[in-house]
Coordinates of all heavy atoms in Angstrom, one line a residue:
R1270 N 30.9 -40.7 32.2 CA 31.3 -39.3 32.2 C 31.7 -38.9 33.6 O 30.9 -39.0 34.5 CB 30.2 -38.4 31.6 CG 30.5 -36.9 31.6 CD 31.4 -36.6 30.4 NE 31.6 -35.2 30.3 CZ 32.7 -34.5 30.8 NH1 33.6 -35.2 31.5 NH2 32.9 -33.2 30.6
Y1272 N 33.3 -35.8 35.8 CA 33.6 -34.4 35.9 C 34.7 -34.2 37.0 O 34.6 -34.8 38.1 CB 32.4 -33.5 36.3 CG 31.3 -33.5 35.2 CD1 30.1 -34.0 35.5 CD2 31.5 -32.8 34.0 CE1 29.1 -34.0 34.5 CE2 30.5 -32.7 33.1 CZ 29.3 -33.3 33.3 OH 28.3 -33.2 32.4
G1273 N 35.6 -33.3 36.8 CA 36.6 -32.9 37.8 C 37.6 -34.0 38.1 O 37.6 -35.1 37.4
T1277 N 37.4 -33.6 44.0 CA 36.1 -33.1 43.4 C 35.6 -33.9 42.3 O 34.6 -33.5 41.7 CB 36.4 -31.6 42.9 OG1 37.3 -31.7 41.9 CG2 36.8 -30.7 44.0
V1279 N 33.4 -36.2 40.1 CA 32.0 -36.7 40.2 C 31.8 -37.6 39.0 O 32.0 -37.3 37.8 CB 31.0 -35.5 40.0 CG1 29.6 -36.0 39.9 CG2 31.2 -34.5 41.2
R1280 N 31.3 -38.9 39.3 CA 31.0 -39.8 38.2 C 29.5 -39.5 37.8 O 28.6 -40.1 38.4 CB 31.1 -41.2 38.7 CG 32.5 -41.7 38.6 CD 32.6 -43.2 39.0 NE 34.0 -43.6 38.8 CZ 34.5 -44.0 37.6 NH1 33.7 -44.3 36.6 NH2 35.8 -44.3 37.5
A1281 N 29.3 -38.6 36.9 CA 28.0 -38.2 36.5 C 27.2 -39.4 35.8 O 26.0 -39.5 35.9 CB 28.0 -37.0 35.6
L1282 N 28.0 -40.2 35.0 CA 27.4 -41.4 34.4 C 28.5 -42.5 34.5 O 29.7 -42.2 34.3 CB 27.2 -41.1 32.9 CG 26.0 -40.3 32.5 CD1 25.9 -40.1 31.0 CD2 24.6 -40.8 33.1
G1299 N 14.8 -39.4 37.3 CA 15.8 -39.6 38.3 C 15.9 -38.3 39.1 O 15.5 -37.2 38.5
R1300 N 16.4 -38.4 40.3 CA 16.5 -37.2 41.1 C 17.5 -36.2 40.5 O 18.3 -36.5 39.6 CB 17.0 -37.6 42.5 CG 16.0 -37.5 43.6 CD 16.5 -38.0 44.9 NE 16.7 -39.5 44.8 CZ 17.3 -40.2 45.7 NH1 17.9 -39.6 46.7 NH2 17.4 -41.5 45.6
S1301 N 17.4 -35.0 41.0 CA 18.4 -33.9 40.6 C 19.8 -34.4 40.8 O 20.1 -35.0 41.9 CB 18.1 -32.7 41.3 OG 19.0 -31.7 41.0
G1302 N 20.7 -34.3 39.8 CA 22.1 -34.7 40.0 C 22.3 -36.2 39.6 O 23.4 -36.7 39.7
S1303 N 21.3 -36.9 39.1 CA 21.4 -38.3 38.8 C 22.1 -38.6 37.5 O 22.4 -39.7 37.1 CB 20.1 -39.0 38.9 OG 19.1 -38.4 38.0
G1304 N 22.3 -37.5 36.7 CA 23.0 -37.6 35.4 C 22.2 -37.5 34.2 O 22.6 -37.7 33.0
K1305 N 20.9 -37.1 34.3 CA 20.0 -37.0 33.2 C 20.4 -36.0 32.1 O 20.5 -36.4 30.9 CB 18.6 -36.6 33.7 CG 18.0 -37.5 34.8 CD 16.6 -37.1 35.2 CE 16.5 -35.6 35.8 NZ 17.2 -35.4 37.0
S1306 N 20.8 -34.8 32.5 CA 21.2 -33.8 31.5 C 22.5 -34.2 30.9 O 22.7 -34.1 29.6 CB 21.4 -32.4 32.2 OG 20.1 -32.0 32.6
T1307 N 23.4 -34.8 31.7 CA 24.7 -35.3 31.1 C 24.5 -36.3 30.0 O 25.0 -36.2 28.9 CB 25.6 -35.9 32.3 OG1 25.8 -34.9 33.3 CG2 26.9 -36.4 31.8
L1308 N 23.6 -37.2 30.3 CA 23.2 -38.3 29.3 C 22.7 -37.6 28.0 O 23.2 -38.0 26.9 CB 22.2 -39.2 29.9 CG 21.7 -40.3 29.0 CD1 22.9 -41.3 28.5 CD2 20.6 -41.2 29.6
H1310 N 23.1 -34.6 26.9 CA 24.1 -33.8 26.2 C 25.1 -34.7 25.4 O 25.6 -34.4 24.3 CB 24.9 -32.9 27.1 CG 24.1 -31.8 27.6 ND1 24.2 -31.2 28.8 CD2 23.1 -31.1 26.9 CE1 23.3 -30.2 28.9 NE2 22.7 -30.1 27.8
D1425 N 15.0 -31.8 27.5 CA 15.5 -31.8 28.9 C 14.6 -31.0 29.8 O 14.6 -29.8 29.7 CB 16.9 -31.2 29.0 CG 17.6 -31.5 30.3 OD1 16.9 -32.0 31.2 OD2 18.8 -31.3 30.4
E1426 N 13.7 -31.7 30.5 CA 12.7 -31.0 31.4 C 11.9 -30.0 30.6 O 11.8 -28.8 31.1 CB 13.4 -30.4 32.6 CG 14.4 -31.3 33.4 CD 13.8 -31.8 34.7 OE1 12.6 -31.7 34.9 OE2 14.6 -32.4 35.4
V1457 N 13.6 -36.0 29.3 CA 14.0 -36.0 30.7 C 13.0 -35.3 31.5 O 12.6 -34.2 31.2 CB 15.4 -35.3 30.8 CG1 15.7 -34.9 32.3 CG2 16.5 -36.2 30.3
L1473 N 17.4 -43.3 36.4 CA 18.8 -43.1 36.7 C 19.0 -42.8 38.2 O 18.1 -42.1 38.8 CB 19.4 -41.9 35.9 CG 19.8 -42.1 34.5 CD1 20.3 -40.8 33.9 CD2 20.8 -43.2 34.3
Ligands
ADP1158 N1 30.1 -29.1 34.2 C1 30.1 -29.8 35.3 N2 31.1 -29.8 36.1 C2 31.2 -30.6 37.3 N3 30.2 -31.4 37.7 C3 29.1 -31.4 36.9 C4 29.0 -30.6 35.7 N4 27.8 -30.9 35.2 C5 27.1 -31.8 36.0 N5 27.9 -32.1 37.1 C6 27.6 -33.0 38.1 O1 27.3 -34.3 37.6 C7 26.2 -34.9 38.2 C8 25.0 -35.1 37.2 O2 24.5 -33.8 36.8 P1 23.3 -33.7 35.7 O3 23.6 -34.5 34.6 O4 23.2 -32.2 35.5 O5 22.1 -34.3 36.6 P2 20.5 -34.1 36.4 O6 20.3 -33.5 35.1 O7 20.0 -35.4 36.6 O8 20.1 -33.2 37.5 C9 25.8 -33.9 39.3 O9 26.4 -34.4 40.5 C10 26.4 -32.6 38.9 O10 26.7 -31.8 40.0

Side-chain angles (χ1 to χ4, degrees):
R1270 178 75 176 95
Y1272 293 114
T1277 60
V1279 175
R1280 280 186 175 267
L1282 286 178
R1300 254 175 289 169
S1301 177
S1303 57
K1305 307 182 297 296
S1306 295
T1307 300
L1308 177 62
H1310 286 148
D1425 195 352
E1426 310 257 11
V1457 162
L1473 281 181

